[in-house]
Amino acid sequence: MIGLTKIVFGCLLIIQLINAERHEPKPFGRISGQSFLPNKAMNTNLINIKANVNPFTFGGPKHLIPRMRYGLSFCKTCINFADEALNTLLNAILNIGVVGECSTLCQYVAEKIGSEVAGVVCNLLCDYVGIKEFISIIEKADLDPIWYCELLKACPINDNGDAKITDFSVVPSQGPQGTFTINLSYVSNNGTGTGELYIGVRTVDKVPVEDSFLLEASNPGQYQAQIRLNAVPDPDCDPTQGLCERWLPGTYAVETAICNGQCGSIHPHSAIYDQATTEFTIV
């Protein structure tokens, strides 16, 4: 009877998740945390993920960004939730104190974040492992979304995975301010674990432009991605509030890394599969 109750409750939560997604579409966020590269900062905007690996666009004006909904891949949903809610969950544990039920903790998180989706996903994850284990995993995760979701068994682990970059280039290699396409190809002989694709641009005026994108666990094979870089000044960027990239004439180095787990993570199931560098010039 208890098992049937849990199944029914889980089905109701999934229905709520679908309905919440339908009414609260979210952009797919970057994976936060420390990069293997120094001085990682966020001056990026992310749009339109599709196709074989993940073609992306970033670096451009905010008005170019369409909304992307949470997918029903539970690993992706978990990482989206963790990226948004891990810090709030830690604060909740400190502020609430002893929590006896998942619903109490998850309601607090949903209200603080202002997201029905976050509350539903929180309940799904918490009810799956139980409140004590859920809190223990939050404390162990150290604000690493991928590691957190692996601890919850929401994301697959592959410690024998690999990826070798076979092409990394920018088209056009030279041109005026505008859209540049970063082409990335890699091959995997053993498949990959749940990980991250990092892209960083070393700009002429030293303003860091970079982002990280979730790479879900994959089978052996050849993969390609296109990352569209909007190398145009953001008209909404306020220099009194932060650094604004101007995309001045000059040569820009572009760096990438394909990682198992979060790039730069010290947690288990984390490694840098491969790295590469290329460049383009704005005239």
Side-chain angles (χ1 to χ4, degrees):
M1 192 65 159
I2 295 176
L4 178 60
T5 300
K6 286 188 175 181
I7 291 172
V8 171
F9 182 64
C11 291
L12 290 173
L13 282 174
I14 291 171
I15 292 170
Q16 291 177 39
L17 175 61
I18 295 171
N19 288 333
E21 176 185 340
R22 191 171 293 140
H23 290 96
E24 292 187 26
K26 298 282 186 178
F28 178 63
R30 67 186 295 279
I31 300 177
S32 60
Q34 183 180 4
S35 168
F36 72 103
L37 293 171
N39 303 319
K40 187 169 185 178
M42 184 167 57
N43 186 35
T44 59
N45 288 307
L46 166 63
I47 63 177
N48 197 22
I49 300 176
K50 64 178 185 179
N52 201 358
V53 176
N54 281 338
F56 321 93
T57 303
F58 72 104
K62 294 177 183 177
H63 68 265
L64 294 180
I65 305 175
R67 304 291 279 178
M68 177 178 174
R69 291 153 43 127
Y70 278 79
L72 292 182
S73 159
F74 202 66
C75 177
K76 184 186 295 183
T77 300
C78 178
I79 290 174
N80 272 288
F81 165 74
D83 195 40
E84 183 178 36
L86 263 181
N87 192 57
T88 303
L89 282 166
L90 280 172
N91 290 332
I93 293 168
L94 293 173
N95 292 331
I96 297 176
V98 177
V99 181
E101 296 182 354
C102 292
S103 58
T104 302
L105 178 61
C106 294
Q107 181 179 353
Y108 176 92
V109 170
E111 290 175 355
K112 285 293 183 181
I113 295 177
S115 168
E116 182 184 350
V117 171
V120 172
V121 176
C122 178
N123 271 295
L124 279 170
L125 295 169
C126 184
D127 286 324
Y128 177 69
V129 297
I131 185 65
K132 290 184 179 180
E133 182 66 12
F134 188 64
I135 291 175
S136 175
I137 288 173
I138 292 167
E139 294 171 337
K140 288 178 185 176
D142 192 28
L143 299 180
D144 182 335
I146 295 178
W147 172 227
Y148 167 78
C149 293
E150 288 175 338
L151 286 169
L152 286 168
K153 304 189 186 311
C155 292
I157 295 169
N158 179 1
D159 286 331
N160 297 313
D162 68 296
K164 179 67 176 176
I165 296 171
T166 56
D167 175 64
F168 187 52
S169 58
V170 179
V171 178
S173 60
Q174 178 175 302
Q177 289 180 348
T179 300
F180 290 82
T181 300
I182 303 169
N183 295 308
L184 171 67
S185 299
Y186 65 91
V187 61
S188 175
N189 294 319
N190 300 315
T192 64
T194 305
E196 180 180 53
L197 170 65
Y198 169 81
I199 296 288
V201 181
R202 300 300 172 187
T203 61
V204 171
D205 51 6
K206 311 301 181 185
V207 176
V209 175
E210 53 190 3
D211 219 331
S212 301
F213 307 91
L214 173 66
L215 291 180
E216 295 187 82
S218 63
N219 295 322
Q222 297 181 349
Y223 295 90
Q224 295 180 335
Q226 288 187 332
I227 301 95
R228 292 180 294 274
L229 175 66
N230 290 326
V232 292
D234 184 349
D236 295 326
C237 187
D238 183 353
T240 65
Q241 301 299 315
L243 298 173
C244 296
E245 173 53 36
R246 294 176 290 168
W247 299 108
L248 301 171
T251 298
Y252 291 73
V254 185
E255 300 167 315
T256 190
I258 303 173
C259 303
N260 186 30
Q262 182 172 279
C263 290
S265 175
I266 60 173
H267 298 124
H269 320 301
S270 301
I272 298 172
Y273 288 137
D274 202 5
Q275 305 175 58
T277 304
T278 189
E279 64 182 31
F280 68 95
T281 302
I282 292 180
V283 295

